[in-house]
Amino acid sequence: MVKGSSGLPLPAIQLEASSYVPLYRQLYEELRKGILTGRLPPGMRLPSTRDMARGLSLARNTVMNAYDQLLAEGYVEGHVGSGTYVTRSLPDDLLYTRENSHRVLQLSQKGRSFSRRGAVLTSTPVNASPNPSNIRPFWPGIPALDAFPSKVWSRLVSRYWENPCAKLLGYGDSAGYPQLREAISIYLGAARAVRCTPDQVIITSGRQQAFDLVMRVLLDPGDAAWIEDPGYMGVRAALISAGGRPVPVPMDKEGLDVRAGETLYQDARLAYVSPSHQYPLGVTMSLARRLALLEWANRSGAWIIEDDYDSEYRYTGRPLSALQGLDDQGRVIYLGTFSKVLFPALRLGYLVVPPDRVASFVNARAVLSRFSPSIDQAVLADFINEGHFSRHVRRMRDLYNKRQKTLIQALNSELHDLIEVQPDEAGLHLVGWLPEYFDDVVASSSAAAQGVDAQPLSAFSINRMGRGGLVLGYAGYDKHQVWEGARRLASALRHLTVAKKFQSNTANVAGGTYV
Ligand SMILES: Cc1ncc(COP(=O)(O)O)c(C=O)c1O
């Protein structure tokens, strides 16, 4: 216990030397608590910084920092040399803090409800994100983060920060940074046969924001919209949150079944498709289907949302050009992202909209969140224009192709009787098909218990598919991780088969049949 120079004993002060909270901050908290609870009454003189430091075996600076903080916040008053006193008139808001710190909130329900729109937005399920500090095989959609050319990126970043220009630190253009829009339009024209000028490219904070924007702009509450089934949950969530009604359209080997869509809901307002590499089945939409979809949209006056998912990663064969390039009537809105091709935390994606709708979409984008960070956009523009982007894509294409082969090898070696897997010409994941008698949700949770993330295919489906499967991402995992993951997955699934056999044997015994 420290004795104040006023003669009053200070309550015991507990400081933890090993804590991550700095000592001055701990001392400040202790004294503040004493003042607020009245243990250090108004007008009380605190010990001098020297006495306090000596009494608590602290550096004098530590005590001075704590006192300065209390002084700045009005808990104590005084001047150097004349002593430090607990303030006589605690400001009301400090007293309020004192009252509140001991009060249990009585949360009332009266008038604190959400709007109907808010209720939908806050309860619509969206695909889960992996635990960022423990991304495990085979969580899909994770690129090889360790292979990202971070030195090049950091050089480009520092170029801007060493000499920051006001244009990039102030408010930016809601349509996006002009050089980036131009770089994207050149890339899309050359690599994806997308027909667009830089003006038609609008930068968003990732593709999820683009979904949100498009659905809000195009749908009225209750409007029907075709979505792929199974399909990407993020788009379904954006659609439902905008008040739309999802119409799940089945997939087959050629992609979304347009005829089935017409039978289910001929007059849908829009159709969402991921034609270059459907998520999660990995199907590439045939040319005949693309033309049928455009023909339906033209006939019924509907929009098409083209998510050009995974288009950068095609390992064999020539990629089919984007659907947008076949559209003559301005019905296709094209979406892309840098999340998979660079890294998800960059949160940069884009929309390509028909020329006569650009100004409206830019306005809507401004309402949502003004604009995406300008320096990130400028760095990305340089990254593309200086050739680093295409170099990175080429390197990753080779790496992911190898990683896909490793996954197939590992699954065939460890799980040949439990998982059927086919090579895919494109993408960052494969679907491992399970035997008919397996429930993929049970298989997935058993895998999770063994330290493997293998999402069940049924989680992506609205109408249950005949056969279950597991979505297995491979791009972000090295050889060792893939083999270890396959071994763990094998052990998880074998446990289930043993349990299954045991169950059916006991059922047979109970029923009186012996096998
Ligand atoms: C098919 C599909 N579209 C869009 C996204 C989301 O992209 P972004 O990270 O740009 O929001 C994902 C992410 O996994 C995806 O799988």
Side-chain angles (χ1 to χ4, degrees), residues 18-71:
S18 60
S19 166
Y20 67 91
V21 181
L23 283 168
Y24 93 87
R25 184 80 206 175
Q26 294 183 45
L27 178 59
Y28 154 84
E29 287 291 355
E30 286 285 311
L31 294 172
R32 179 178 166 274
K33 212 163 41 182
I35 295 169
L36 288 175
T37 53
R39 280 186 288 124
L40 304 179
M44 175 188 168
R45 184 175 186 176
L46 296 186
S48 70
T49 52
R50 184 167 289 126
D51 285 350
M52 179 74 94
R54 198 178 307 122
L56 293 173
S57 307
L58 294 172
R60 186 149 170 240
N61 253 350
T62 306
V63 180
M64 280 159 70
N65 285 341
Y67 277 27
D68 281 349
Q69 184 78 26
L70 291 166
L71 202 63

Side-chain angles (χ1 to χ4, degrees), residues 218-254:
L218 302 184
L219 295 178
D220 280 319
D223 276 351
W226 294 0
I227 52 167
E228 300 167 329
D229 188 26
Y232 182 56
M233 273 193 275
V235 75
R236 196 195 309 163
L239 196 165
I240 294 172
S241 300
R245 194 151 40 98
V247 175
V249 178
M251 302 288 305
D252 64 17
K253 286 198 169 57
E254 286 192 70

Side-chain angles (χ1 to χ4, degrees), residues 268-303:
R269 183 89 184 94
L270 65 83
Y272 162 85
V273 282
S274 49
S276 51
H277 191 243
Q278 200 269 344
Y279 191 78
L281 295 178
V283 180
T284 300
M285 194 181 216
S286 69
L287 184 60
R289 279 291 165 80
R290 292 171 191 235
L291 295 174
L293 183 65
L294 275 169
E295 203 269 319
W296 162 78
N298 289 338
R299 195 168 7 98
S300 58
W303 289 97

Side-chain angles (χ1 to χ4, degrees), residues 330-480:
R331 303 214 162 270
V332 177
I333 294 183
Y334 177 95
L335 272 65
T337 183
F338 291 98
S339 287
K340 314 293 160 175
V341 77
L342 299 181
F343 56 99
L346 184 58
R347 302 315 301 144
L348 286 177
Y350 49 90
L351 290 172
V352 177
V353 302
D356 60 337
R357 295 290 187 265
V358 171
S360 314
F361 272 94
V362 171
N363 193 80
R365 199 255 174 271
V367 172
L368 281 194
S369 69
R370 290 256 175 237
F371 63 98
S372 300
S374 305
I375 292 191
D376 291 346
Q377 294 188 61
V379 169
L380 177 53
D382 290 353
F383 192 79
I384 298 174
N385 290 334
E386 293 174 22
H388 306 297
F389 180 77
S390 39
R391 200 168 311 124
H392 181 59
V393 172
R394 269 200 310 276
R395 278 182 55 232
M396 292 306 101
R397 207 176 276 145
D398 282 351
L399 180 68
Y400 298 162
N401 193 7
K402 284 192 191 114
R403 288 188 170 180
Q404 187 193 106
K405 289 190 177 121
T406 305
L407 176 63
I408 295 176
Q409 228 183 345
L411 294 176
N412 286 340
S413 151
E414 302 293 323
L415 288 136
H416 62 94
D417 52 334
L418 290 173
I419 277 200
E420 191 189 319
V421 71
Q422 295 294 334
D424 194 337
E425 293 181 336
L428 308 175
H429 74 274
L430 292 174
V431 175
W433 296 96
L434 292 166
E436 306 277 350
Y437 57 87
F438 255 88
D439 181 326
D440 58 10
V441 175
V442 176
S444 170
S445 43
S446 168
Q450 297 283 336
V452 175
D453 285 318
Q455 295 182 5
L457 197 56
S458 56
F460 298 81
S461 318
I462 294 181
N463 295 313
R464 229 185 146 75
M465 297 185 70
R467 187 174 173 191
L470 298 173
V471 177
L472 305 170
Y474 54 78
Y477 312 107
D478 64 22
K479 208 172 186 169
H480 168 77

Side-chain angles (χ1 to χ4, degrees), residues 493-508:
L493 298 189
R494 293 209 193 289
H495 263 88
L496 285 182
T497 21
V498 171
K500 185 104 197 150
K501 276 194 189 128
F502 176 74
Q503 268 173 11
S504 57
N505 283 348
T506 45
N508 286 340

